[in-house]
Amino acid sequence: MKEIKLSAIVQSACAASFKEMVRWGGRCCLVLLAALALQACSDDEEDAPSWKETNANYFNELYSSARQRISSGDTQWKVIKSYAKDQSSQGIPSDYIVVHVIEEGSGTKVPLTTDTVRVDYQGRLIPTATNAEGEVFDQSWSGEYDLITNMPAKFAVNAVVDGFATALQKMHVGDRWMVYIPQELGYRGENNTSIPAYSTLVFDITLRAIYKPGTPVPAWK
């Protein structure tokens, strides 16, 4: 009888130990699964391109596409080197802006860096998964674009970022362009109100008037 009792006690102790092992084993599994999940999230974050990389890729692909269109004879696209860069060398894609001509004006002159201009403009960020057209960060008109009701903004050509100034110096009055500016010719690594650092800028620009230095700029009617 004593042996039977001893055997029962041993079996009971073994069973308890097994349950404890299972209990602790379950906790270990949960800890392990949580660690694996965190690692997976970390891997996903590392694999996901940063905003800087996404913008650089977007512009580089657009630049290559524009070059191909121009080579095939498409006159609605232009690539223009920044006026602030050395014009004697080819340079790199980020030395250029990309332009899609929406409408050609009848003007015969282009503004210089010392001139003042009036323009209609809208600035956007690049398209994203949540905003297919790109978030608008600034614009000079209210409601829908309308040449009759728009009130053009006034500023000096040399008061805007290099990419914008480069476009203006190639535009004639009446031209409407969609201008794509790499971050190197925009705000670079600086956050600017609603514009994140390293953003490619997309501007819809219409040149409405040019004023030479010393010329009064009248109120727009």
Side-chain angles (χ1 to χ4, degrees), residues 5-46:
K5 289 182 179 179
L6 180 60
S7 177
I9 291 171
V10 171
Q11 290 178 4
S12 177
C14 289
S17 296
F18 179 74
K19 289 179 180 179
E20 189 68 12
M21 289 173 64
V22 169
R23 183 168 67 87
W24 281 103
R27 290 182 180 178
C28 289
C29 286
L30 289 174
V31 172
L32 179 60
L33 288 172
L36 289 172
L38 288 173
Q39 182 61 43
C41 290
S42 177
D43 290 343
D44 287 343
E45 291 176 357
E46 291 177 1

Side-chain angles (χ1 to χ4, degrees), residues 53-111:
E53 293 170 332
T54 299
N55 278 262
N57 292 338
Y58 177 88
F59 182 80
N60 288 336
E61 290 175 6
L62 185 67
Y63 175 87
S64 296
S65 175
R67 283 287 190 190
Q68 292 174 3
R69 288 174 180 271
I70 293 167
S71 296
S72 65
D74 191 337
T75 59
Q76 297 302 107
W77 288 86
K78 304 175 184 286
V79 290
I80 304 172
K81 195 171 189 180
S82 169
Y83 79 100
K85 299 292 183 179
D86 179 8
Q87 302 298 311
S88 65
S89 62
Q90 177 67 23
I92 58 178
S94 60
D95 290 340
Y96 293 79
I97 60 171
V98 174
V99 172
H100 181 208
V101 178
I102 300 174
E103 189 172 339
E104 293 185 358
S106 57
T108 57
K109 297 181 179 180
V110 296

Side-chain angles (χ1 to χ4, degrees), residues 178-193:
M178 192 67 72
V179 180
Y180 301 85
I181 302 173
Q183 59 94 359
E184 291 86 350
L185 302 180
Y187 293 106
R188 304 179 180 83
E190 299 178 7
N191 286 302
N192 188 291
T193 59

